[in-house]
Amino acid sequence: MLSVCILTGNTGILSIMPTVVVMDVSLSMTRPVSVEGSEEYQRKHLAAHGLTMLFEHMATNYKLEFTALVVFSSLWELMVPFTRDYNTLQEALSNMDDYDKTCLESALVGVCNIVQQEWGGAIPCQVVLVTDGCLGIGRGSLRHSLATHNQRSESNRFPLPFPFPSKLYIMCMANLEELQSTDSLECLERLIDLNNGEGQIFTIDGPLCLKNVQSMFGKLIDLAYTPFHAVLKCGHLTADVQVFPRPEPFVVDEEIDPIPKVINTDLEIVGFIDIADISSPPVLSRHLVLPIALNKEGDEVGTGITDDNEDENSANQIAGKIPNFCVLLHGSLKVEGMVAIVQLGPEWHGMLYSQADSKKKSNLMMSLFEPGPEPLPWLGKMAQLGPISDAKENPYGEDDNKSPFPLQPKNKRSYAQNVTVWIKPSGLQTDVQKILRNARKLPEKTQTFYKELNRLRKAALAFGFLDLLKGVADMLERECTLLPDTAHPDAAFQLTHAAQQLQLASTGTSEYAAYDHNITPLHTDFSGSSTERM
Amino acid sequence: MKIFSESHKTVFVVDHCPYMAESCRQHVEFDMLVKNRTQGIIPLAPISKSLWTCSVESSMEYCRIMYDIFPFKKLVNFIVSDSGAHVLNSWTQEDQNLQELMAALAAVGPPNPRADPECCSILHGLVAAVETLCKITEYQHEARTLLMENAERVGNRGRIICITNAKSDSHVRMLEDCVQETIHEHNKLAANSDHLMQIQKCELVLIHTYPVGEDSLVSDRPKKELSPVLTSEVHSVRAGRHLATKLNILVQQHFDLASTTITNIPMKPTFSVFDQEEQHANTSANYDVELLHHKDAHVDFLKSGDTHLGGSSREGPFKETITLKWCTPRTNNIELHYCTGAYRISPVDVNSRPSSCLTNFLLNDPRYKIDGSLEIPLERAKDQLEKHTRYWPMIISQTTIFNMQAVVPLASVIVKESLTEEDVLNCQKTIYNLVDMERKNDPLPISTVGTRGKGPKRDEQYRIMWNELETLVRAHINNSEKHQRVLECLMACRSKPPEEEERKKRGRKREDKEDKSEKAVKDYEQEKPWQDSERLKGILERGKEELAEAEIIKDSPDSPEPPNKKPLVEMDETPQVEKSKGPVSLLSLWSNRINTANSRKHQEFAGRLNSVNNRAELYQHLKEENGMETTENGKASRQ
């Protein structure tokens, strides 16, 4: 079974769900917020407060993730390129100047460029847009952008939907009432719609204050930045792991099964298979699998089997020496060149494998297959995969020199079954010529001659193309008359016989026109010894 | 994505009336090979296909592409219409392949030009098409059964592709009306039936085909909604290759296909799948092959903005193709690539030489299938993993037996579900061999990491080894009676005086924690601890006689347990870490080790086993009967 695989070039990536924070630094963000009995805050201070909370959360739970900070007004600037250093991000928050008006479109174009340059088009990315809901005025304002949305050419395409898998979270430093008093909310909702509905708008509940901003960012964290914890199991061996980024719920069929499927928190390994056998299968998403205990020790996760020959004194090292199944698994998969098949839910599987991040470092990764009993046709039904020892003889051979995969599909695809297509004249001509060429080499090519003859006969009968049968019969008769004196006497017999048989089939009525009937070589006194074997 | 969209069911209705026997008036030269022959031979006259032949081969091509890309869940029902309707196949998956259809078409044969045209009509076929659309497919049935009370979510939509030769626009309108009326009637019937489904949506694609050179009597009409259930479109197409091109465009529209052309494919003579004699067999050149596949395969290219669109648009605007350059794969390249999608393909020109060469290169030899047994193989696989991991040391320096070649014959078979007599014999041989090694005082690969001095004495090393081997074998004694026999042999060979065992049991404190492997072992043993020990005594007696020559292995409770002899599979038991917090006295280190070692040698008293801080709660069963939580003894419910 053939398929086109879409492979993306960017393979050596550790972080797989980067975040871009896009901060509005237009003048309107400096509007004061009245806070009872305390110093005066501006909206940008509230925004910075919320982002601080997000950065702190990520520094603790998402330390492997890359985040970039973009500020924008009528222009945009990449303040902090993608980094894991949350201190730098934090510092940048306190060093922001105030600029002119809001111009969202150019900022979103900027985000496209930054992300595509760094990650290409296949890595999912979360965009956190922080704004006050004032969408600018005149050219470059969001209203203007949306109004002209239908009049775009390919060269000035609107940046949404983002040209990479994305979520757009809009954090409004304003409450719902304020946004609804103008058409701001509507415009922002249009933005999410334009991003194919991928994203959400957050507004402040109640008065604008630090506490309510916190609760708004809390909701964002719950939605988009909650670590996914699971237990990885293999028989009696288990390990607590974080799966990162969070696996997204998946809708199998919007009509008959509209409820999104979520993966189990118990990830059970059901077996192991060679990388060569699983090939490079299509996956919904891929994730880092991080042992939770080790993660606390720093970001040296999953670097291989723990080496025991070191000094035992340091407490850190002892903690690192607690044998962890993830380490064992990762090391084994790497050494053996295999992947582990893992059950994610009912009729839903994925694979665990080692992926090199750099020359020295590699990681335990998990990829999710599409749910269903047979996500990878060349392996057959998942439930039918079993232990090698159950097979009567080792399917990989005694010397490991063969493989039971890929499985042959029940019905061969057209390209594997020698179908006959005569839509272009050349198709028909090639088939006729093949017969003729073999006819001239009779009796050596008797078998091939009849094989090709029968193929043409079957197709002609199916297509109701009886004239062709008659034509080829005439042609063979002519060939018979043109045989040189040196020709083998059997050739004439076979040609005449074949022509007769075709002639009979071309009437379309006799038993000779039955589809399953095959013209067989005429048995002559000469045919016994000289016939080629197929 | 919807499984049960219009594309789930396609009905072909092909006109088989007498006028379809007419020539399409496009000639095909088939007698091409007259060069190099004696002069004066006149090539045979070209022939031409009938309207019927053109219709059939174009619809077969439609099906070929569809089956290649959607081998499942996209179904075709083929109907031929003359004086009645001939339904050539059913919705079942077995009927869904080209060979079946070709055989059925051959049985029908070409239309009879001498039949009475008055008796023949395409209407018979259209009525049958509506009827067949109401019939439930196995996929619909399966989904309905699975969804139970939500069965109504399973949609019933379909498409009728009708190839005919119509008289006029009003004739076309009459056909549409007929379909609409028939749907109305059949939906009423279906409402009262369990085996039929009402048609929710039907797309009628009427293709009027006529001989090349004639004027069309029917005008094209884009898709139009005739009723909430029925839409209809009309295509007026000249026969011959024009009809084939039309159906090729339609199959791409209907199944969201797109085209990719792979360019610069090197074709060496060794690639050749045809006879060596074929004209070009010895030339090596680069070829292009155009493939069809689902549109999604292009999504990423289009998003990246880097489109190579519009490569070869020789066949109209729909024929946009993305061009990819062939890259000869490196051999032995077993790497995992990040693959966001794999899409089934179908070559546009399936039996052209470059296409066949490409597909034959990509197709591997047929492999064979795995026998299915009654039990679900995947469950058997899980079961095997469970057995293999009952005792699994995770650190090399924390195991002795898995570092010993001599143990391999036993360790590799003991995890099996059942043992053969030969397996048991091999296990016994392994054990005797170990006894022999011990007598000869052979060194053991016991790690000395972290110990001062030379590490444990030789006899102590053997004790560690025997303990570990016992743990391994005990983990499997409930697999079969033969496993039991291996343990019996082991216990007999590593003989210890029973009295000594008893004495030890009495005098020892036990550590609170226990490792996972022991826990697992306990699960298997708990059922018959008493019988076990009774039988053990008997075996020990026998064993003594059998091994009279073998040196009795003395267990020395006074020698310290080596420091590395930690419980082996304990990744989530934390007390180990606590130990390292502060300075530990030599005494406590030593006694801890001894306790650990000794705790392995006897069945723990149930009360102590369940104790928290060495305090066991009495009358727990009363609590349980009252339905209260009792799992507070720190044993996480991880299993």
Side-chain angles (χ1 to χ4, degrees), chain A residues 424, chain B residues 261 288-290 310-317 319-321 348-349:
Chain A
K424 288 186 184 170
Chain B
T261 302
D288 296 355
V289 172
E290 185 181 352
S312 65
S313 53
R314 53 203 139 91
E315 286 174 82
K319 269 280 178 179
E320 283 183 332
T321 185
V348 171
D349 202 357

Side-chain angles (χ1 to χ4, degrees), chain B residues 19-27 48-51 210-212:
Chain B
Y19 48 76
M20 291 297 280
E22 253 184 66
S23 159
C24 75
R25 292 190 215 145
Q26 226 178 29
H27 296 299
S48 71
K49 299 170 183 170
S50 63
L51 292 181
Y210 55 97
V212 175

Side-chain angles (χ1 to χ4, degrees), chain B residues 190-215:
Chain B
N192 300 315
S193 163
D194 284 342
H195 312 291
L196 301 176
M197 285 177 84
Q198 289 190 308
I199 300 170
Q200 295 168 335
K201 202 94 201 163
C202 175
E203 261 184 45
L204 179 61
V205 181
L206 276 167
I207 301 170
H208 163 70
T209 189
Y210 55 97
V212 175
E214 272 186 19
D215 290 332

Side-chain angles (χ1 to χ4, degrees), chain A residues 3-4 6 236 238 240 253 255 280 308 322-323 389-390 405 414 417 422 429 440-441 463 478, chain B residues 3 29 31 37 49 53 64 68 99 157 277 337 341 343 345 367 380 384 386 389 397 571 638:
Chain A
S3 52
V4 179
I6 307 303
H236 292 277
T238 67
D240 289 319
D253 185 298
E255 187 172 79
S280 295
D308 219 31
I322 297 172
S389 56
D390 275 12
F405 305 109
S414 70
Q417 61 187 10
W422 293 331
Q429 286 156 1
R440 287 173 191 171
K441 300 233 165 129
F463 296 151
R478 184 194 65 200
Chain B
I3 294 175
E29 292 283 355
D31 191 17
R37 312 302 305 268
K49 299 170 183 170
T53 299
R64 178 186 71 80
D68 271 357
Q99 293 88 332
R157 307 182 182 86
E277 297 147 71
H337 295 278
Y343 300 90
I345 57 111
R367 313 294 174 94
R380 302 252 320 125
Q384 197 174 81
E386 187 277 325
T389 54
S397 62
M571 61 254 199
R638 275 284 208 69

Side-chain angles (χ1 to χ4, degrees), chain A residues 10 13 18 66 81-82 112-120 123:
Chain A
N10 220 342
I13 306 152
F66 286 90
F82 285 101
C112 288
N113 295 340
I114 293 165
V115 171
Q116 279 189 299
Q117 243 171 49
E118 189 82 24
W119 308 107
I123 306 292

Side-chain angles (χ1 to χ4, degrees), chain A residues 1-8 116 163 233-238 240 252-256 258 268-272 275-276 278-283 286 308-309 318 321-325 328 339 343 349 353 377 382-387 389-390 392 395 402-408 411 413-417 419-425 428-429 432-434 436-437 440-441 445 461-466 468 471-472 474-475 478-479 482 515, chain B residues 1-4 28-34 37 41-44 47-49 52-53 56-57 60-61 64 67-68 71 96-99 102-103 105-106 110 143 147 153-155 157 244 274-275 277 293 297 300-301 303-304 334-345 347 349-351 359 362-363 366-372 376-378 380-382 384-386 389-390 392 394-395 397 449-450 516 566 569 571-572 577 580 638-639:
Chain A
M1 196 169 336
L2 300 182
S3 52
V4 179
C5 291
I6 307 303
L7 309 173
T8 72
Q116 279 189 299
K233 292 185 175 177
C234 178
H236 292 277
L237 306 174
T238 67
D240 289 319
V252 177
D253 185 298
E254 64 200 26
E255 187 172 79
I256 59 169
E268 191 181 4
I269 291 175
V270 294
F272 301 86
I275 287 181
I278 201 144
S279 313
S280 295
V283 299
R286 50 185 191 154
D308 219 31
N309 297 323
I318 289 173
K321 274 184 202 303
I322 297 172
N324 190 299
F325 170 58
L328 171 70
V339 305
Q343 178 123 30
H349 294 87
Y353 54 98
M382 280 292 176
Q384 289 300 317
L385 296 175
S389 56
D390 275 12
K392 282 190 203 93
K402 54 179 182 175
S403 162
F405 305 109
L407 291 185
Q408 194 73 359
N411 285 316
R413 309 291 163 249
S414 70
Y415 41 80
Q417 61 187 10
V419 292
T420 311
V421 180
W422 293 331
I423 286 170
K424 288 186 184 170
L428 179 69
Q429 286 156 1
V432 174
Q433 281 172 26
K434 256 186 245 170
L436 211 50
R437 257 203 327 276
R440 287 173 191 171
K441 300 233 165 129
K445 291 283 181 181
L461 287 171
F463 296 151
F465 198 3
L466 304 183
L468 177 68
V472 174
D474 292 347
M475 203 174 69
R478 184 194 65 200
E479 284 303 311
L482 293 176
Y515 187 72
Chain B
M1 194 189 87
K2 280 184 199 163
I3 294 175
F4 301 118
V28 194
E29 292 283 355
F30 73 103
D31 191 17
M32 302 285 286
L33 213 71
V34 281
R37 312 302 305 268
I41 297 170
I42 306 153
L44 293 168
I47 49 176
S48 71
K49 299 170 183 170
W52 165 258
T53 299
V56 166
E57 70 176 2
M60 282 299 106
E61 181 68 358
R64 178 186 71 80
Y67 286 145
D68 271 357
Q96 301 299 315
N97 61 72
L98 285 182
Q99 293 88 332
M102 297 277 271
L105 282 167
L147 286 172
R153 277 193 207 149
V154 178
R157 307 182 182 86
F274 297 120
D275 318 359
E277 297 147 71
H293 50 78
D300 289 334
F301 290 104
K303 271 197 299 204
S304 70
I334 39 167
E335 270 172 59
L336 278 176
H337 295 278
Y338 180 34
C339 177
T340 51
Y343 300 90
R344 288 195 170 91
I345 57 111
D349 202 357
V350 66
N351 49 9
T359 50
L362 296 176
L363 282 170
R367 313 294 174 94
Y368 56 90
K369 288 197 178 79
I370 287 178
D371 300 314
I376 297 167
L378 200 66
R380 302 252 320 125
K382 283 192 212 171
Q384 197 174 81
L385 282 177
E386 187 277 325
T389 54
R390 280 182 196 165
W392 185 294
M394 295 224 290
I395 290 181
S397 62
V449 175
K516 274 240 168 110
K566 292 177 200 158
V569 196
M571 61 254 199
D572 45 6
V577 191
S580 63
R638 275 284 208 69
Q639 291 289 327

Side-chain angles (χ1 to χ4, degrees), chain B residues 387 390-391 401 410 414-415 466-480 483-484 486-488 490-492 494 496 501 505 517-526 528-529 531-533 535-537 539-540 599-603:
Chain B
K387 288 199 172 69
R390 280 182 196 165
Y391 176 70
I401 58 171
L410 184 148
I414 199 76
V415 293
W466 286 119
N467 279 342
E468 196 185 359
L469 195 61
E470 188 185 330
T471 309
L472 171 68
V473 176
R474 269 192 194 282
H476 294 277
I477 49 166
N478 280 8
N479 290 13
S480 77
H483 287 81
Q484 192 87 43
V486 175
L487 180 71
E488 285 161 11
L490 173 67
M491 297 313 289
R494 64 161 311 188
K496 293 170 240 174
E501 282 289 290
K505 265 189 200 171
S517 65
E518 279 185 337
K519 218 191 288 176
V521 173
K522 215 139 279 156
D523 289 342
Y524 292 94
E525 281 183 323
Q526 257 160 12
K528 36 181 179 170
Q531 294 98 302
D532 276 355
S533 64
R535 200 172 42 212
L536 212 71
K537 273 180 199 160
I539 297 157
L540 284 172
S599 67
R600 293 160 181 281
K601 292 175 197 143
H602 60 91
Q603 177 82 43

